[in-house]
Amino acid sequence: MATMSLAAASPLTSTPRAVGAPAPRTAFLGPRSGAAQATRFPGLTVSSQPVERRGAAAVAMAKREQELEEIRAVTTEQLEEEVVDLKGELFLLRLKRSARQEFKNSEFGRMRKRIARMLTVKREREIEQGINKRLSRKLDRKWKQSIVVRPPPSLRENKEE
């Protein structure tokens, strides 16, 4: 009775090769050097200098940095007013969504991130002044209680027209 070993018949197992034996051809075209690319494509010239790529991510990051600089240039009181206005706008967006009116869905994330950036800058300023986290939360509670409810800027503009 002859038994057959599965290990010997399996194509997935690797068998030892002799030293100097050529590697088996595979379909993997993984990373190749520039010289290999030039031999594959005769008209291609290869430069040894790295190519600087500025994709959408790099442009978005530059815009964020510019926005942060603008936020840091504003006083803390103006920052707080802007946060209140943006939260009002966010509330109006939620109302539009619940009433199934037309709105841009991307505005939710954009506004939330802008609010978060402003609050981050506000907290950075508190840290510079030496205000610890506990006192910061206490000041935040007082600030939130002192907020006078007013319509957001977009609603004010609509009423003026």
Side-chain angles (χ1 to χ4, degrees):
M1 180 188 239
T3 59
M4 187 173 183
S5 170
L6 289 176
S10 174
L12 298 176
T13 59
S14 62
T15 57
R17 287 183 288 158
V19 178
R25 292 275 301 162
T26 64
F28 177 68
L29 297 176
R32 297 191 182 265
S33 67
Q37 292 290 336
T39 57
R40 273 177 98 193
F41 304 106
L44 182 69
T45 58
V46 178
S47 164
S48 62
Q49 300 294 326
V51 177
E52 184 179 327
R53 293 190 177 119
R54 288 191 52 118
V59 172
M61 183 176 259
K63 285 183 180 178
R64 267 185 303 231
E65 291 296 324
Q66 183 180 6
E67 184 180 7
L68 270 173
E69 288 174 11
E70 291 171 5
I71 291 172
R72 285 192 175 108
V74 175
T75 65
T76 306
E77 291 78 24
Q78 290 172 335
L79 259 180
E80 290 172 348
E81 288 178 19
E82 184 75 19
V83 167
V84 171
D85 288 342
L86 281 173
K87 284 190 175 191
E89 294 288 340
L90 199 57
F91 179 72
L92 283 181
L93 267 180
R94 283 195 209 104
L95 283 178
K96 282 184 178 182
R97 180 173 62 184
S98 66
R100 298 187 182 215
Q101 294 177 1
E102 200 169 312
F103 66 96
K104 288 186 178 178
N105 205 19
S106 62
E107 290 292 309
F108 283 104
R110 191 186 63 77
M111 280 189 195
R112 279 198 310 263
K113 286 180 181 180
R114 183 155 172 88
I115 291 170
R117 285 187 190 112
M118 290 181 170
L119 292 176
T120 301
V121 169
K122 181 181 170 192
R123 179 65 186 134
E124 285 173 356
R125 290 178 182 170
E126 289 175 351
I127 290 171
E128 287 174 3
Q129 295 172 358
I131 298 174
N132 63 12
K133 189 185 286 188
R134 185 173 181 171
L135 183 57
S136 172
R137 288 183 178 162
K138 195 173 187 178
L139 292 173
D140 271 351
R141 263 187 255 116
K142 284 184 181 178
W143 170 66
K144 286 178 183 176
Q145 290 172 353
S146 70
I147 293 174
V148 177
V149 180
R150 62 178 187 266
S154 64
L155 205 58
R156 279 184 251 153
E157 292 167 5
N158 290 341
K159 283 185 178 181
E160 290 172 2
E161 292 174 1

